[in-house]
Amino acid sequence: MTKQEAAAALRHYAVLLELVGEDPFRARAFENAARMLETQPENLDVLIAENRLSAVRGIGKGVAAAIRDLNSRGTFAELEEARQGVPSGVIELLRVEGLGPKKARTLWKDAQVTSLAALENAIEAGLIERLPGFGAKTAQKFRVGLAFLKSTSGRHWRHHAVRAAESLRESLKDMAGVREVFFGGSLRRGNETVGDLDVLLIAEEGQANAVRTQVASLSFVRWSEAGHILRGELASGFRVELSVTAPDEAGARKILATGSKEHVRALQEIAAGKGYTLDPQGVGNVLRAGSEEQVYAALGLAYVPPPLREGSNSVFEAGSRTYPEPVRLNQIRGILHCHTTASDGHHSLRELAAAVIERGYEYLGVADHSQSAAYAHGLTPERVRAQWKEIDELNGELTPFRILKGTEVDILPDGRLDFDDELLAGFDFVVASVHSGFNMSEEDATARLCRALENPQVDILGHPTGRLLLERNGYAVNHTKLMDCAARTGKAIELNCSPHRLDLDWHYLALAEAKRVPVPLCPDAHHIEGLWDIRWGVEVAAKGPLTAANCPSTWSADEFVRWCASHA
DNA sequence: GCCGTTTTCGGCCCGACTGTTTTCAGTCG
């Protein structure tokens, strides 16, 4: 078992404890232990073999025993017992925004609501608002939350989809007769969330039927129907659509498997106009080709990079268009915006710097929280100055590597900042973000963000909408006004690379590019593994595309600091 | 359950916000 899997089991147990009304501090102890376990540099086998679990802060005798059981047999006695006591649908209720363990427990015990469907029925029947502590507004809030869940149903975070696809690829690639395992769909197009995994197996000449037979007998997939497409579901919950094709149809089949629906429809119309067919049921002779490039060329069209195949107007005549090169991972020179143990991060400055140096980066931009972010142990001005001293000492030791002094300063409800200008002037760079007061109108939110950008000390706007993918929408923002404001004040807007955020939304990258608003790729890392989240940002940025020139993460430390000073 | 310690049990991140209730509980970041 991996650390992450064990941590997930501990968290699951903590949730169950809360639902059965156990001591909330006991539940929190398991949550803390899960978090601490995840941030250990060693893997679980090593920690257990060397008997070092209990040495981890937050893991005592009891949790250590649970972890050892998890590793050896996949569960522990208390977890199994707690599972028996809570209907699985009750845990689902917690996914509704504003519905926590206490309300879930009331719904379960007082109204026999044990599933999302039952919750919906209870709301519509007017039963919810009669429960103690519930009212009409609570019911309405749950109604909205349920609608959001429905709209995201069957979709997954990109990082989970990539992990599931990589594992599926391992199972398929060595199968007899398989030439290539190809993943299409929103995974290939670089989207921030992914629904089904669209798999295309390109078989060796004459092997398609044999491959299909082998695939259909795979034991780890539950196939639901036959036909020319195999539909199945992985244990991880991912739905898979898999088809097998001969090499001479691979080009067209890859295009069909990649989508988007609108892009494919536009291609099909052009193909039909020329008397060709480009259809899952059959590919016209002219479009029989091994590569996608050949198919676009046969249709008289420019080749469209997969991340740009969105919308019906993403098809262009051959020679009519060149695409800007998107920023690549190996062009990133510095990591901006991450948190240390001084606020809510899990690693020290020194540990983060060592990890970033090991990966070959030139600088690390630390940006801990500011004082009003009490939940995150935000820094007071005194603690900021102490951190600056520590950075100066480390920089003396680590040169030519450089740690940049930054902050993620809270934007207060009225758009002012959580530190005064004098302190802000002492940082190399300032990220300003909203962490509270999410219930604003679009007008108020836009004005709040613009006021923050107008402060000369601010360099970068952090996660501009506050959205959490598949969890909440964030506040509404007028992106055109915001982008105009950033352009006028000479500021940047981050693309937060956390796979749960990916905020700025890629739809606005072209606007940023057009208005010359720089977009740094910021991991917003709270532990070392999170530093590499920058990968998801790079993949999504290809959809703009965001160019290297417009991405401060590709600049040298000197260039970046000079740019920050230029508008102060 | 874990931690720290005045070594045996009390405290555990903490403040804003919301909705319900009429003084506070629950959720969230």
Side-chain angles (χ1 to χ4, degrees):
Chain A
M1 182 171 273
T2 65
K3 280 178 303 203
Q4 287 75 16
E5 287 164 338
L10 296 176
R11 282 206 181 87
H12 187 65
Y13 181 57
V15 168
L16 292 173
L17 287 179
E18 289 194 272
L19 286 171
V20 297
E22 261 266 16
D23 174 15
F25 290 111
R26 196 164 160 246
R28 189 187 292 174
F30 278 88
E31 263 169 43
N32 287 341
R35 204 174 62 238
M36 295 312 292
L37 179 64
E38 273 175 335
T39 59
Q40 294 308 303
E42 300 90 351
N43 66 34
L44 196 52
D45 287 331
V46 173
L47 286 170
I48 289 173
E50 298 180 4
N51 212 13
R52 281 167 38 216
L53 277 177
S54 299
V56 177
R57 199 183 153 75
I59 299 181
K61 267 187 186 167
V63 178
I67 295 173
R68 279 193 299 269
D69 279 356
L70 278 168
N71 193 48
S72 60
R73 54 193 193 89
T75 186
F76 56 99
E78 298 95 322
L79 174 61
E80 286 310 304
E81 194 183 326
R83 269 197 182 128
Q84 297 302 316
V86 183
S88 61
V90 174
I91 297 154
E92 290 289 292
L93 298 179
L94 299 174
R95 295 170 56 209
V96 178
E97 198 178 352
L99 205 172
K102 297 283 170 59
K103 284 208 154 56
R105 185 173 161 78
T106 303
L107 286 166
W108 167 30
K109 293 291 184 185
D110 293 2
Q112 290 76 49
V113 169
T114 56
S115 70
L116 290 171
L119 176 61
E120 187 170 15
N121 291 337
I123 292 170
E124 297 319 321
L127 299 175
I128 294 296
E129 43 217 273
R130 277 183 242 148
L131 292 170
F134 291 61
K137 288 192 174 175
T138 306
Q140 178 56 19
K141 199 172 174 185
F142 290 173
R143 196 178 280 128
V144 171
L146 278 170
F148 180 76
L149 280 183
K150 270 191 185 164
S151 73
T152 62
S153 163
R155 297 203 70 80
H156 306 266
W157 289 305
R158 179 169 188 80
H159 64 310
H160 284 184
V162 166
R163 202 183 300 155
E166 281 168 358
S167 141
L168 185 56
R169 182 190 297 281
E170 283 305 304
S171 311
L172 297 170
K173 71 180 173 51
D174 297 324
M175 204 171 257
V178 171
R179 180 180 291 189
E180 184 185 346
V181 182
F182 174 91
F183 285 91
S186 42
L187 185 73
R188 186 176 184 224
R189 298 201 310 279
N191 293 66
E192 60 273 49
T193 63
V194 174
D196 299 351
L197 296 177
D198 295 297
V199 192
L200 186 63
L201 289 181
I202 295 141
E204 299 292 353
E205 206 70 57
Q207 297 290 307
N209 284 333
V211 167
R212 193 175 286 115
T213 308
Q214 289 181 79
V215 171
S217 67
L218 283 175
S219 60
F220 61 87
V221 193
R222 282 191 298 129
W223 299 114
S224 61
E225 61 182 90
H228 73 285
I229 290 181
L230 290 165
R231 288 197 172 81
E233 190 172 333
L234 302 177
S236 51
F238 277 89
R239 286 195 306 261
V240 180
E241 286 205 1
L242 184 147
S243 55
V244 184
T245 189
D248 68 340
E249 287 190 9
R253 296 285 179 194
K254 283 181 177 178
I255 291 171
L256 290 167
T258 299
S260 64
K261 283 194 182 73
E262 295 80 7
H263 180 79
V264 168
R265 200 172 300 132
L267 292 177
Q268 285 168 331
E269 278 172 23
I270 289 165
K274 293 178 186 286
Y276 309 147
T277 50
L278 176 65
D279 187 279
Q281 309 303 325
V283 175
N285 277 335
V286 179
L287 302 182
R288 278 184 188 276
S291 76
E292 293 177 303
E293 285 84 348
Q294 290 168 303
V295 176
Y296 281 96
L299 293 173
L301 299 173
Y303 174 76
V304 183
L308 302 182
R309 296 181 198 173
E310 299 286 350
S312 54
N313 53 359
S314 53
V315 169
F316 305 95
E317 210 174 298
S320 70
R321 194 179 170 94
T322 53
Y323 297 101
E325 273 293 305
V327 59
R328 296 188 312 273
L329 196 54
N330 63 9
Q331 290 176 303
I332 305 293
R333 295 173 69 176
I335 305 276
L336 295 168
H337 188 173
C338 49
H339 298 267
T340 74
T341 44
S343 64
D344 59 348
H346 295 292
H347 295 281
S348 66
L349 269 174
R350 182 182 287 278
E351 289 168 328
L352 287 180
V356 170
I357 290 169
E358 194 191 331
R359 290 263 181 146
Y361 293 102
E362 297 170 24
Y363 57 96
L364 169 71
V366 170
D368 275 314
H369 288 284
S370 59
Q371 53 195 349
S372 78
Y375 66 91
H377 200 219
L379 275 64
T380 59
E382 294 69 38
R383 294 180 62 221
V384 165
R385 293 197 176 87
Q387 189 184 56
W388 287 350
K389 191 160 170 280
E390 191 186 348
I391 290 174
D392 286 336
E393 287 165 8
L394 272 171
N395 276 340
E397 190 184 317
L398 299 174
T399 188
F401 183 82
R402 199 163 153 199
I403 302 174
L404 302 181
K405 296 167 187 160
T407 177
E408 182 180 17
V409 65
D410 260 48
I411 301 175
L412 303 174
D414 62 359
R416 284 179 307 118
L417 301 176
D418 192 28
F419 284 143
D420 64 38
D421 288 351
E422 193 194 340
L423 186 72
L424 290 174
F427 289 101
D428 292 319
F429 72 103
V430 172
V431 180
S433 309
V434 166
H435 291 108
S436 59
F438 277 45
N439 274 349
M440 300 169 278
S441 66
E442 177 177 310
E443 199 183 353
D444 288 348
T446 308
R448 181 180 179 187
L449 300 180
C450 286
R451 182 161 179 205
L453 281 178
E454 278 159 7
N455 183 317
Q457 302 303 334
V458 170
D459 304 302
I460 299 169
L461 177 65
H463 43 70
T465 73
R467 75 177 182 185
L468 288 177
L469 294 165
L470 307 181
E471 288 176 15
R472 66 162 193 235
N473 280 326
Y475 39 84
V477 172
N478 183 324
H479 281 83
T480 308
K481 280 189 183 167
L482 181 64
M483 216 51 89
D484 281 339
C485 175
R488 189 180 71 244
T489 54
K491 305 303 176 64
I493 299 181
E494 81 171 6
L495 197 171
N496 189 296
C497 300
S498 160
H500 299 260
R501 293 187 184 271
L502 293 167
D503 177 22
L504 182 67
D505 188 296
W506 61 264
H507 287 91
Y508 303 104
L509 288 172
L511 188 60
E513 198 81 16
K515 294 188 183 290
R516 312 305 300 163
V517 172
V519 179
L521 295 172
C522 299
D524 193 3
H526 289 72
H527 50 88
I528 284 171
E529 284 309 306
L531 291 166
W532 324 131
D533 281 347
I534 210 154
R535 166 187 176 180
W536 316 120
V538 167
E539 291 180 2
V540 170
K543 300 183 76 59
L546 169 68
T547 62
N550 205 38
C551 176
S553 311
T554 71
W555 305 347
S556 71
D558 280 344
E559 284 173 301
F560 175 64
V561 171
R562 212 178 306 132
W563 173 82
C564 290
S566 70
H567 48 247

